[in-house]
Amino acid sequence: MKRRLLSSVVIFVVSWSPVTVDGQAAEGAQFLDGIGETALIARYRFGGNSEDWSRNAYHAALHGEASYAEDEQFGRVLSLPGGRRSGYVQIPGQALVGAESLTVTGWVKVKDLTPWQRFYDLGLGNGRYLYCTPVGQERTNGCRVRMTAAGYAAETGPATFRITTGKWVHLATVLDAASKTLSLYVDGVRVGQSTGVTWPLTDILSQEDASANHVYIGKSLYDGDADLGGEVYDVRFYSIALSDRQIAVIRHNAISENTTAVAEPVAPAPDKPRESVEDAASPYGEQLTAVPDIAVETEVGRLPVLPVYLPARYGDGADGPQVRVIWPAPTDNRQVQQPGTYTVTGTVPGTALTVQAVVTVKPMSPGTSRPEQQLEPFPLGQVVLDRDDRGRNTPFIKNRDKFILTLARTDPNRFLYNFRDAFGQEQPAGVQPLGVWDSQTCRLRGHATGHYLSALAQAYAGTTYDEDLHANFHAKMNAMIDVLYDLAQRSGRPTTPGGPCNADPTQVPPGPGKADYDSDLSHEGIRTDYWNWGEGFISGYPPDQFIMLEKGATYGARNNQIWAPYYTLHKILAGLMDCYEVGDNPKALEIAQGMGLWVYARLAIVPTETRIRMWNRYIAGEYGGMNEAMARLYRITGDSRFLKCAQSFDNIDFFFGNAEHKHGLACNVDTLRGKHANQHIPQITGALETYKGTGEPAYYQVADRFWDICTHCYMYSIGGVAGAKNPNNAECFTAQPNTLFANGFSEGGQNETCATYNLLKLSRQLFLFDQDAKFMDYYEQALYNHILASVDEDNPGNTYHVPLNPGARKRFSNARMDGFTCCNGTGLESNTKLQDSIYFRSKGNKTLYVNLYIASTLTWAERDIVIRQSTRFPYADVTRLTVAGSGTFDIQVRVPQWATGGFHVTINGREQDVDAVPGTYLTLRRSWQDGDTIELKMPFDFYLRRVMDQPNLASIFYGPILLAAEEPASRTTWRKVTLNSDDLAQSITGDPGTLRFSINGVNLKPFYETYSRHSVYLDVTLE
Ligand SMILES: [Zn+2]
């Protein structure tokens, strides 16, 4: 058997006990009727307006005589008069773009039997449509859902009896693109299903020109049909195929007094058939015979760190791949309260093998270790991406330029629109607001502006290679800061000398003429009395949402609800500090300080228990990295109020287990279970920044332990996380660790791109303290296979989730930078700093770290050295570093974890005798002379990264690169491949120079070059 020893990655693991989803995840609106909100495209309750109650702000428009009426059962409902061209509702054509499957649910009460009235109708027309009529021509087949993408004659779909007139009926239709079925539900029961419906929704809607898409409620695409006559209530569009049970729950909850009994526990969506993966033969081949027992030590109070991978014994006596061991994962640290020993038993998934670990619990050692930051990154302008060694643009340059060149054409006034609007200022002529989460009434508006400030600062600092761009971004950044500075100066100050004002952030009154605080941001309803807001206030909306959060407001789209005010503020503060630290704009710091003191003043008088409730309130209390922002403000200014404020954002239960700090992450207890991933990862980066300020080791432990747990127990092969079907939310960690197969692969997607952006940030920060190569190995894995893979082919459109279900497809948005989700925001940041972690230096400039093999030039100004890295990696397995200048210093080069086939170092043409261990750094110490060249060769090899609880499902890697299988059509099952168990390369043909390969006719290519259907995980048999 060929030697392919992956260096051991150390982790500890957690328990199998059937714990319910933690309270935080279970309480919130994310589980509307047991369904994660990311699957909800739009929801119209029609209780007096046509607002979209989802976070996507696809507000509908009423036409003709459509109006609202009082109803005994539901209160206010939509009322449609009926008859030709009488009245209907139109939904933005953008809403359904990108969706392949579609569920539509809603309540309908028809008043007569006029045939062909539509519940809904949508499509391009001209033989491409999907509609549902509750009252067709015939009695027996009168209620039907029909679809075609190939003309009227090809129309297909199930039907049942016409619905009864004068009575509320719950209708639902489900188009399941993967299983190619179209189903009809009446009052929560499936009454018909057609199979062989081969068209995904994308076949009947324009993906490029959303204005061509018709989406109607109560109106037919065919002009001869009458509009619906009757009433409509709570219509929802989901981008996934809901299950029978979910449809039943939606209906039940709308009419039952006791909604929770059915809504929880949330049933995982029924798994798609997955062709007997459970019965697969040993995924490791037949020869795996044993995994030797181990012994580990820990200290009282701290759960042991157990190795994730262990060496295994194989039948032929040869070494083979290490195997993944799953250990029990306790939810507390009871087992380690006293010195002594105990034994835990791990399992090797896919086999009957077990392995024992004898844990020795030692007394707590005296003195506490306080890791110190050893390294510094280089300023962005000192590292410039180069073309490859054949003069071609690298994938990094391509993505950088998609963003930089589009960013250079943006109008800063669009990003100032909401701020001027909040302060009641005139907009410059012709300025259009942004869309999506920055539209007028969206309670997250202003978030994109924060990302934009960071991106402008980074783009300015990073474009030292192009004078025009450099000047462009400098001007844009300064223009933004000038306006924001002017607005912030107005807060809490009189409009005319001696006029009324309130300078105190804690004494902000309700808006003029209002009895209470509200989140009304409409043109008519928004308050603009900035003189009452307290000094220093700046945001994309008035202060009410912050105050309402303290008073218990929940997440939602009503005027007494909010959407994460501190999340938005974190983006703005981070943007301002980036403009100061990265972009050298001193006024930006002044704005940040003013708002920092506003936050400090308010939170200083909020009781601890209230704060814990605030930060645990789903979405409403999501605060991004406010703790990081405030600790950073302390680092920059030295004002200790900011550090105190940072600690007031401690997520105490998550970090420390409880108010007594008895367990939690700091004690190596997994508190990630079922939590919203991207809500919590920035809090961890904040814990590390708080450690820098306070020196309290527990904060460091929180970050260090989180990283291990997250990357080992919850991570997909592209380096992303989340995507749970239990709890049923594509943005959450799975309910239990090490259960990606059992509880992950949500139908709604996985791998929110923000989460990986934040994990990269955390990894890099931890590496600056602890030069364990695992951090930069992860960095490389996620940078190539998620961040690089998250951008569209020819424009800066980028992904939210990156789905990894078989035959999935990436969806990109925001190509024109005019409508940002969170991930479009972090995408803007990622792609304006792609060079930021290629090199680090030790404090004192004694050592250079070469972390990533990317063509680039480093200007190490402090040593008067220029390092040029010339390569076409990963299209070749070699890179060359050329030193300009001279001096004695160490160069630490990363020997990747995957470089198991050797790592060869040649200096000035002479091969060096080195002991290069995969997963470590290798020191090259020398008195370097001008013109010295170092060549690093690290042969790529094929290997598998397996799903930990279903190890026959695996991704194929070649060196650092994940190879995705091209898929001609959607799939319901995992693609099967058979590979040679001694040497995968025996089964794979292709060209390493282009990274195009194939296995028995299945084409593989880098996931970052994949824009159509793909399978990232394959069902692998080794023979
Ligand atoms: Zn996001």
Side-chain angles (χ1 to χ4, degrees):
M1 184 170 245
K2 189 172 176 184
R3 283 171 185 263
R4 193 178 293 111
L5 283 172
L6 283 182
S7 74
S8 120
V9 185
V10 179
I11 195 194
F12 68 99
V13 184
V14 259
S15 88
W16 286 103
S17 55
V19 178
T20 52
V21 179
D22 78 293
Q24 172 173 354
E27 84 178 15
Q30 66 174 333
F31 295 112
L32 176 64
D33 296 318
I35 303 152
E37 73 172 301
T38 51
L40 184 63
I41 297 171
R43 181 187 184 198
Y44 308 96
R45 294 191 52 139
F46 296 123
N49 63 53
S50 58
E51 278 184 15
D52 173 9
W53 277 45
S54 87
R55 63 189 191 183
N56 298 322
Y58 291 126
H59 304 313
L62 270 54
H63 291 277
E65 294 161 50
S67 62
Y68 302 102
E70 295 303 322
D71 175 76
E72 258 181 37
Q73 184 161 347
F74 295 124
R76 297 201 71 150
V77 298
L78 176 70
S79 173
L80 301 171
R84 278 197 65 209
R85 301 185 185 179
S86 58
Y88 63 94
V89 174
Q90 186 175 16
I91 289 158
Q94 183 66 37
L96 306 184
V97 169
E100 301 197 314
S101 295
L102 181 72
T103 299
V104 185
T105 71
W107 291 90
V108 178
K109 180 159 78 174
V110 293
K111 64 182 181 189
D112 62 34
L113 294 175
T114 306
W116 306 121
Q117 305 176 59
R118 297 292 201 269
F119 165 33
Y120 69 81
D121 202 342
L122 57 94
L124 286 161
N126 287 331
R128 287 193 277 179
Y129 54 79
L130 167 66
Y131 73 82
C132 175
T133 176
V135 185
Q137 191 80 53
E138 308 89 5
R139 192 181 73 88
T140 50
N141 291 315
C143 176
R144 55 173 66 174
V145 55
R146 306 277 285 178
M147 181 181 195
T148 181
Y152 172 76
E155 200 184 273
T156 182
T160 186
F161 289 90
R162 285 195 299 226
I163 67 169
T164 314
T165 57
K167 178 172 174 289
W168 281 111
V169 174
H170 191 253
L171 289 178
T173 66
V174 176
L175 171 67
D176 186 337
S179 65
K180 300 180 174 52
T181 56
L182 181 58
S183 306
L184 176 65
Y185 298 76
V186 176
D187 280 334
V189 175
R190 175 145 57 91
V191 292
Q193 182 174 71
S194 294
T195 56
V197 183
T198 53
W199 311 289
L201 192 66
T202 44
D203 279 9
I204 63 164
L205 292 168
S206 171
Q207 304 302 300
E208 294 78 35
D209 177 16
S211 67
N213 297 331
H214 306 286
V215 187
Y216 300 129
I217 295 171
K219 174 182 158 58
S220 168
L221 287 184
Y222 174 59
D223 198 41
D225 292 332
D227 292 346
L228 185 84
E231 292 169 345
V232 176
Y233 179 70
D234 197 3
V235 179
R236 309 181 194 180
F237 295 81
Y238 293 91
S239 61
I240 58 174
L242 295 189
S243 66
D244 291 358
R245 176 182 160 81
Q246 288 171 319
I247 299 284
V249 167
I250 291 173
R251 176 191 173 263
H252 172 92
N253 285 352
I255 54 174
S256 169
E257 300 282 300
N258 179 14
T259 61
T260 52
V262 182
E264 56 83 35
V266 176
D271 224 353
K272 301 271 183 217
R274 278 178 174 132
E275 281 183 28
S276 71
V277 277
E278 285 79 6
D279 309 325
S282 165
Y284 298 98
E286 296 306 312
Q287 308 99 323
L288 180 64
T289 54
V291 182
D293 295 344
I294 57 163
V296 295
E297 290 185 352
T298 188
E299 286 185 3
V300 167
R302 192 162 299 182
L303 286 180
V305 176
L306 295 161
V308 186
Y309 291 95
L310 283 176
R313 287 197 196 116
Y314 289 81
D316 58 6
D319 291 332
Q322 298 198 342
V323 295
R324 177 68 188 260
V325 178
I326 307 245
W327 302 99
T331 55
D332 58 43
N333 56 351
R334 246 172 293 177
Q335 274 178 308
V336 292
Q337 290 305 314
Q338 303 295 331
T341 62
Y342 68 99
T343 303
V344 288
T345 304
T347 57
V348 182
T351 76
L353 298 175
T354 58
V355 54
Q356 303 226 313
V358 176
V359 179
T360 303
V361 185
K362 302 181 122 185
M364 224 179 292
S365 53
T368 329
S369 90
R370 294 177 200 278
E372 284 188 25
Q373 184 175 333
Q374 311 286 338
L375 310 185
E376 295 272 11
F378 286 96
L380 286 175
Q382 288 180 223
V383 182
V384 174
L385 296 174
D386 290 335
R387 291 183 170 168
D388 75 9
D389 60 10
R390 289 182 175 170
R392 300 170 302 190
N393 280 342
T394 65
F396 292 98
I397 286 190
K398 286 179 189 168
N399 280 7
R400 178 197 70 186
D401 288 352
K402 289 172 205 169
F403 278 82
I404 287 284
L405 299 177
T406 309
L407 188 64
R409 291 195 299 269
T410 53
D411 176 3
N413 287 308
R414 300 193 74 179
F415 293 85
L416 291 166
Y417 188 97
N418 287 319
F419 291 78
R420 287 184 168 123
D421 185 69
F423 283 77
Q425 307 295 302
E426 288 254 315
Q427 303 288 347
V431 174
Q432 293 295 309
L434 298 169
V436 189
W437 292 359
D438 292 278
S439 53
Q440 181 77 33
T441 57
C442 182
R443 287 154 183 83
L444 205 75
R445 65 184 223 180
H447 81 107
T449 306
H451 294 294
Y452 184 67
L453 290 171
S454 295
L456 289 179
Q458 292 174 171
Y460 161 62
T463 47
T464 43
Y465 58 87
D466 185 313
E467 264 181 41
D468 289 347
L469 287 171
H470 198 52
N472 177 325
F473 293 122
H474 197 224
K476 279 188 168 64
M477 178 183 68
N478 290 344
M480 290 291 295
I481 295 300
D482 284 348
V483 173
L484 294 173
Y485 184 85
D486 172 65
L487 295 176
Q489 289 295 309
R490 293 169 188 256
S491 283
R493 293 183 180 155
T495 54
T496 51
C501 76
N502 162 56
D504 182 350
T506 68
Q507 299 298 319
V508 180
K514 297 190 180 195
D516 203 352
Y517 304 96
D518 69 44
S519 61
D520 189 348
L521 301 178
S522 66
H523 289 296
E524 309 74 38
I526 191 170
R527 67 183 293 188
T528 56
D529 58 326
Y530 52 82
W531 53 91
N532 284 325
W533 295 356
E535 281 188 6
F537 183 83
I538 188 77
S539 204
Y541 40 70
D544 295 45
Q545 292 200 68
F546 296 93
I547 301 167
M548 292 162 71
L549 174 64
E550 295 168 14
K551 293 173 178 290
T554 57
Y555 168 56
R558 279 173 285 177
N559 284 340
N560 63 354
Q561 293 181 308
I562 59 173
W563 187 358
Y566 281 107
Y567 173 91
T568 307
L569 183 61
H570 163 240
K571 308 306 166 212
I572 297 168
L573 287 175
L576 290 168
M577 283 185 272
D578 285 341
C579 288
Y580 171 71
E581 285 200 296
V582 182
D584 287 331
N585 184 314
K587 275 163 89 177
L589 178 61
E590 272 190 69
I591 309 170
Q593 278 176 291
M595 187 61 192
L597 290 173
W598 191 95
V599 173
Y600 168 78
R602 281 214 74 94
L603 292 183
I605 55 172
V606 174
T608 306
E609 311 78 63
T610 308
R611 271 192 280 107
I612 291 176
R613 280 202 299 277
M614 281 160 63
W615 308 147
N616 281 310
R617 202 170 308 141
Y618 175 73
I619 291 287
E622 179 173 359
Y623 63 72
M626 270 305 291
N627 50 346
E628 183 196 23
M630 298 309 287
R632 182 179 176 191
L633 206 44
Y634 163 73
R635 172 170 58 74
I636 295 171
T637 64
D639 184 338
S640 61
R641 288 175 293 181
F642 295 134
L643 186 59
K644 194 163 169 242
C645 189
Q647 290 180 280
S648 69
F649 285 94
D650 281 356
N651 192 336
I652 292 169
D653 289 357
F654 181 49
F655 290 0
F656 307 117
N658 51 29
E660 290 78 47
H661 292 206
K662 284 287 172 54
H663 65 96
L665 279 169
C667 294
N668 203 14
V669 176
D670 180 351
T671 51
L672 281 65
R673 300 160 203 247
K675 282 201 167 57
H676 188 281
N678 196 51
Q679 177 173 355
H680 290 84
I681 301 168
Q683 299 179 2
I684 299 296
T685 319
L688 191 55
E689 193 71 29
T690 307
Y691 170 70
K692 288 190 208 169
T694 61
E696 285 182 30
Y699 286 110
Y700 185 88
Q701 285 302 320
V702 165
D704 185 66
R705 294 296 85 218
F706 176 89
W707 191 92
D708 261 1
I709 298 172
C710 185
T711 57
H712 291 122
C713 307
Y714 293 94
M715 193 179 80
Y716 296 91
S717 56
I718 68 169
V721 293
K725 58 178 177 279
N726 178 25
N728 199 341
N729 186 319
E731 295 182 359
C732 288
F733 291 118
T734 49
Q736 293 297 324
N738 295 311
T739 57
L740 277 196
F741 182 75
N743 293 324
F745 291 102
S746 128
E747 288 298 317
Q750 307 87 36
N751 302 292
E752 183 183 348
T753 305
C754 284
T756 299
Y757 158 90
N758 280 308
L759 278 172
L760 288 183
K761 195 165 148 180
L762 177 65
S763 304
R764 166 181 202 268
Q765 288 288 335
L766 282 167
F767 184 75
L768 299 180
F769 281 86
D770 172 5
Q771 287 75 56
D772 188 327
K774 68 182 180 181
F775 296 116
M776 297 316 290
D777 278 330
Y778 168 75
Y779 201 100
E780 180 184 67
Q781 181 184 352
L783 180 69
Y784 277 97
N785 303 307
H786 189 170
I787 297 302
L788 203 55
S790 69
V791 180
D792 204 350
E793 192 164 12
D794 302 311
N795 65 65
N798 61 305
T799 55
Y800 197 103
H801 295 294
V802 178
L804 303 184
N805 297 71
R809 200 148 72 171
K810 301 175 194 168
R811 290 171 61 180
F812 307 101
S813 67
N814 197 33
R816 289 187 289 277
M817 297 190 181
D818 56 2
F820 289 76
T821 64
C822 51
C823 292
N824 298 133
T826 49
L828 200 56
E829 295 192 35
S830 291
N831 290 283
T832 48
K833 62 171 177 99
L834 290 165
Q835 76 276 32
D836 80 339
S837 297
I838 303 174
Y839 310 99
F840 295 142
R841 58 183 160 160
S842 63
K843 289 189 162 182
N845 290 296
K846 294 231 162 37
T847 306
L848 176 70
Y849 279 76
V850 181
N851 305 309
L852 298 169
Y853 301 118
I854 297 173
S856 55
T857 299
L858 162 70
T859 303
W860 192 0
E862 294 76 3
R863 288 206 71 119
D864 203 17
I865 295 278
V866 172
I867 304 276
R868 192 185 149 110
Q869 183 173 179
S870 171
T871 183
R872 57 181 181 279
F873 191 97
Y875 303 96
D877 55 12
V878 62
T879 191
R880 188 172 296 106
L881 300 163
T882 307
V883 180
S886 61
T888 302
F889 53 90
D890 290 355
I891 300 181
Q892 295 271 5
V893 296
R894 185 172 61 93
V895 184
Q897 188 196 4
W898 47 260
T900 52
F903 187 89
H904 309 283
V905 180
T906 306
I907 297 179
N908 297 332
R910 190 168 305 160
E911 173 137 15
Q912 308 291 303
D913 182 17
V914 296
D915 184 18
V917 180
T920 67
Y921 276 72
L922 176 69
T923 309
L924 306 177
R925 181 166 301 161
R926 195 174 168 98
S927 180
W928 301 97
Q929 302 301 315
D930 190 42
D932 279 352
T933 62
I934 308 163
E935 190 175 276
L936 307 173
K937 186 170 173 60
M938 51 202 108
F940 289 7
D941 210 346
F942 296 100
Y943 59 94
L944 301 174
R945 285 189 187 269
R946 302 169 184 273
V947 176
M948 77 286 277
D949 59 333
Q950 194 66 44
N952 54 303
L953 287 184
S955 295
I956 299 179
F957 277 72
Y958 184 63
I961 303 304
L962 190 158
L963 299 172
E966 294 177 342
E967 293 289 1
S970 59
R971 298 182 64 90
T972 56
T973 56
W974 304 93
R975 179 173 287 284
K976 287 175 179 293
V977 294
T978 300
L979 299 173
N980 184 301
S981 66
D982 286 339
D983 182 1
L984 303 188
Q986 297 294 320
S987 313
I988 305 173
T989 57
D991 176 13
T994 58
L995 297 173
R996 294 297 192 276
F997 299 97
S998 80
I999 304 171
N1000 272 334
V1002 179
N1003 292 327
L1004 304 173
K1005 65 179 180 183
F1007 189 47
Y1008 68 74
E1009 292 183 12
T1010 302
Y1011 304 99
S1012 54
R1013 287 188 191 284
H1014 58 259
S1015 283
V1016 154
Y1017 283 103
L1018 304 170
D1019 182 358
V1020 177
T1021 304
L1022 294 181
E1023 278 182 7

